[in-house]
Amino acid sequence: MTTLLEKAFDVARQLPAEEQDELARVLLRLTGHDDARVELTPADFASFEGSLREADQREFATDHEISSIWAKHGL
């Protein structure tokens, strides 16, 4: 293992477990070993169901709302 990778792992060890898992998922994806699965919570499923309902009812964000979101994130 290279010194740089060892340093990255040392830093990662200090992160909360959830952030360590996310880093592991990214590393697995980057190396072509994408066996990591994301488990959805009941809240995730509820959010998706709500989004689908809104789409079915043609309730979409306005151009202004989308622009505001992009601006908020500096995009």
Side-chain angles (χ1 to χ4, degrees):
M1 181 180 302
T2 69
T3 303
L4 182 57
L5 188 55
E6 285 181 21
K7 182 179 179 180
F9 281 127
D10 288 342
V11 171
R13 282 185 188 93
Q14 306 305 311
L15 298 172
E18 288 180 9
E19 290 181 35
Q20 289 183 27
D21 285 347
E22 184 58 29
L23 281 173
R25 286 184 195 97
V26 169
L27 184 57
L28 287 168
R29 269 185 236 121
L30 289 172
T31 60
H33 297 88
D34 196 7
D35 293 338
R37 305 246 190 273
V38 175
E39 294 187 26
L40 299 177
T41 66
D44 294 328
F45 282 108
S47 176
F48 290 138
E49 288 171 356
S51 296
L52 290 172
R53 273 193 307 277
E54 289 174 356
D56 286 342
Q57 296 170 5
R58 313 273 310 146
E59 295 176 8
F60 301 107
T62 65
D63 289 343
H64 177 72
E65 290 169 326
I66 297 297
S67 295
S68 296
I69 292 169
W70 287 113
K72 178 180 175 182
H73 297 283
L75 301 171

